[in-house]
Amino acid sequence: MHQHIVQLLGADFQIGLRDADAERVVDVIAPTLDFDPSRLDHDTAAYRTFTGPSFDAGAANTTAWGAADLGAANGHGNALSVAAIFAPIARAGAAAHGQLPRPDTIGLVFDEQSNGVNLAPCP
């Protein structure tokens, strides 16, 4: 991703955090819920979001998390870099440097990639 998208667009974004950039990242602050998520309609995305597997937001503040290469959860950037990366998708792939990504790839972005509980054991 870095070579084919981030560098090409000049975006200040990385998946996994380089040691040299650690001082540029602020700690994640865990949200506090002032409602009972179990009272939500169980068929909604909100219910699935708030009642999915628990996660300690403090884990994101560790050196191990920062260094991990987790494409779906460990992107480091600012709003401008995220907008630069996603803008070609909103423009059917059109970018200042040509078509990025290919039209057939853009279609995949909107396809459901997974459904159901991940049954893979946690280490």
Side-chain angles (χ1 to χ4, degrees), residues 4-28:
H4 299 289
I5 298 174
V6 175
Q7 283 182 333
L8 187 65
L9 296 172
D12 182 14
F13 187 88
Q14 58 190 283
I15 295 176
L17 185 61
R18 293 183 298 257
D19 289 339
D21 292 324
E23 66 184 32
R24 299 175 56 206
V25 177
V26 298
D27 283 347
V28 171

Side-chain angles (χ1 to χ4, degrees), residues 13-52:
F13 187 88
Q14 58 190 283
I15 295 176
L17 185 61
R18 293 183 298 257
D19 289 339
D21 292 324
E23 66 184 32
R24 299 175 56 206
V25 177
V26 298
D27 283 347
V28 171
I29 300 172
T32 56
L33 301 178
D34 59 352
F35 69 97
D36 180 4
S38 68
R39 299 187 68 181
L40 295 169
D41 179 348
H42 290 218
D43 293 325
T44 63
Y47 174 78
R48 291 189 298 272
T49 299
F50 289 118
T51 62

Side-chain angles (χ1 to χ4, degrees), residues 39-109:
R39 299 187 68 181
L40 295 169
D41 179 348
H42 290 218
D43 293 325
T44 63
Y47 174 78
R48 291 189 298 272
T49 299
F50 289 118
T51 62
S54 68
F55 173 75
D56 176 9
N61 300 327
T62 65
T63 303
W65 175 273
D69 186 355
L70 306 169
N74 199 19
H76 298 274
N78 55 29
L80 183 60
S81 66
V82 173
I85 291 167
F86 283 104
I89 293 171
R91 294 189 299 252
H97 301 286
Q99 186 72 24
L100 177 75
R102 295 185 319 261
D104 56 326
T105 302
I106 293 172
L108 295 174
V109 170

